[in-house]
Amino acid sequence: MSTDRSADRSTDRSTAYFAELAAALAAAGVPAAEAGATVEDLRAHLAETGGTPEEEFGPAAGFAARLGGLAPEAAGPEEEVEHWTWTADLFNDRRMLAVHGDQGWEVESLDPLGRFVCRRTPGSALRWEYRREVLTGGHRERVLAALEPEGWELCGEWLVYGYLKRPYAATAGPGGTVTAPPAAPDRWLYLSRPGKAVLAGWAVLVTVLLAVFLADGIGASGLAVTIAIASALSAVWTAQLETTTGRAHRGPDPEA
Amino acid sequence: MAADRRSSWLKGVLDLLVLSRLTDGESYGYEIARALADAGVGEIKGGTLYPVLNRLEEAGLVEAEFRAAERGPGRRYYRLTPGGRTRLAEESRAWREFHRVVETALYPGGPTT
C-alpha cells in the first residue's frame, strides 16, 4: 500500500512538472502542437530512464529556457551585438552587476585585469542575475554543486571570488526579457566611496615610494618589492573591509 | 574534479558527438543518450541533451519528426541532413587536428605509454 502511495506521489510530481514545462513553453510562444510533442517526447524519455523529471531535466522553468522557448532568438549578425567592458571595486560589484544584468548585459568572462566583459543583443536580450561566491579550496566544488542545479553558471573568477550568472527567465518565465534596453553606458569604472579611499591611499603610498626612489633612498628592486607588498596589503584590506561591511547584503549561503 | 573535467571537455564536443550518433540512421533522444554512454562518453542527462538537439535542428543540421506510438507517449526522431553530414565531417577533421596538437604539446617526445 505504501508503495502504491509512493508511486502516486511520483506520478503527481511528474504530472506537475510537465504541466509547468508546457505552460512555460506556451508562455514563450511555442505553438501548442510543438510544445505538446516536446512534452510527450520528454515523458517517453523519462519513462525509460526511470528517474524524476527534476533529476533528468533540472527545474522546469530553466529547462524550458534552455530548450529555446524562452531563450533569445539566435544572435543576429555580429554587428548587431553590443559589447561593453567595465569594472567596479569589491564594494560595488554586486550592486552594479544587478543593475546592468537587469538591462540585459550578460557577463561572458572576466579579463586578466578583472573587468567584466559583457555582451547584449538588442531586441532579444535576457535579464541576468548574478552572485559572487568565495571559491577557494574545498569551497569550490561544494558551492558549484549547490548552485549549478539551480541554473547558476560560473562566468568568471577574480582572486578568490567566483561570479555566477543566471537568466531571470529561469525563474521568471517570459518576464525575464528586456523590452526596452537603455543605451550602453559611457562609463567603464564604478568605484564606491570605500573603494576610492583605498585607491587614494594606495596612490599616495606609491607616490611616496617613487619620491624616495628618485631621491636614491631605495633601489629599483626595493621599489618594486615594496609596491608589490603595498598592493597586496591594500587588496587584502579591501577584501577584509568588504567582507565585514558587506556580509549583511550577501545572499543565502549555498552551502547552508 | 573528474566530473568537472569531463563536463568542461564535453561542452566543446557534445554537438559533434550527438551528430555522430546519427550517421547510421535516425534515432531518438533516449537512444542517443544510451549510445553515447555505451561509447564511454558517460551519462548525458536529458536536461543537457535536448537543448543540444533543438540547437542542431534550428541550425538545420538535423531534421526531427514526431511520431505517435501505439502504446505510451510518442517520440521525436532525428536524422542527419546533408548539411549536418558535411558539418560532422568538417568538425571531425578539425577535432582530430586539435587532438593531435594537444597530444604533441603534452608529449613532445611521443606518448609515454
Side-chain angles (χ1 to χ4, degrees), chain B residues 2 15 17 22 26 32 35 37 39-41 49 58-60 66 82 88 91 96 98 107:
Chain B
D15 289 22
L17 288 170
L22 297 171
E26 66 179 18
I32 293 170
V41 173
L49 178 63
E58 283 171 11
F66 181 79
L88 175 62
E91 296 290 322
R96 188 178 296 165
F98 179 66
Y107 306 108

Side-chain angles (χ1 to χ4, degrees), chain B residues 103 106-113:
Chain B
E103 188 160 88
L106 291 178
Y107 306 108
T112 54
T113 55

Side-chain angles (χ1 to χ4, degrees), chain A residues 32-47:
Chain A
E34 193 181 329
T38 296
V39 168
E40 203 171 333
D41 188 31
L42 297 171
R43 291 179 83 101
H45 183 103
L46 194 68

Side-chain angles (χ1 to χ4, degrees), chain A residues 151-164:
Chain A
W152 293 99
E153 180 188 349
L154 186 64
C155 58
E157 293 183 61
W158 175 247
L159 302 176
V160 299
Y161 299 107
Y163 292 87
L164 298 105

Side-chain angles (χ1 to χ4, degrees), chain A residues 5 10 60 66 68 94 116 141 149 190-191 206:
Chain A
R5 275 201 299 270
S10 173
R66 292 200 307 283
R94 284 174 294 183
F116 298 103
E141 284 184 25
Y190 296 87
L191 289 179
V206 169

Side-chain angles (χ1 to χ4, degrees), chain A residues 34 37-38 40-45 48-49 55-57 63 66-68 141 153, chain B residues 1 4 28-30 33 44-47 50-51 54 66 72-76 78:
Chain A
E34 193 181 329
T38 296
E40 203 171 333
D41 188 31
L42 297 171
R43 291 179 83 101
H45 183 103
E48 296 199 79
T49 60
E55 286 169 352
E56 188 61 32
F57 306 119
F63 184 42
R66 292 200 307 283
L67 278 173
E141 284 184 25
E153 180 188 349
Chain B
M1 188 56 85
D4 282 353
Y28 55 92
Y30 178 72
I44 306 295
K45 292 280 190 186
Y50 285 92
N54 270 16
F66 181 79
R75 283 201 184 98
R76 191 174 265 143
Y78 298 87

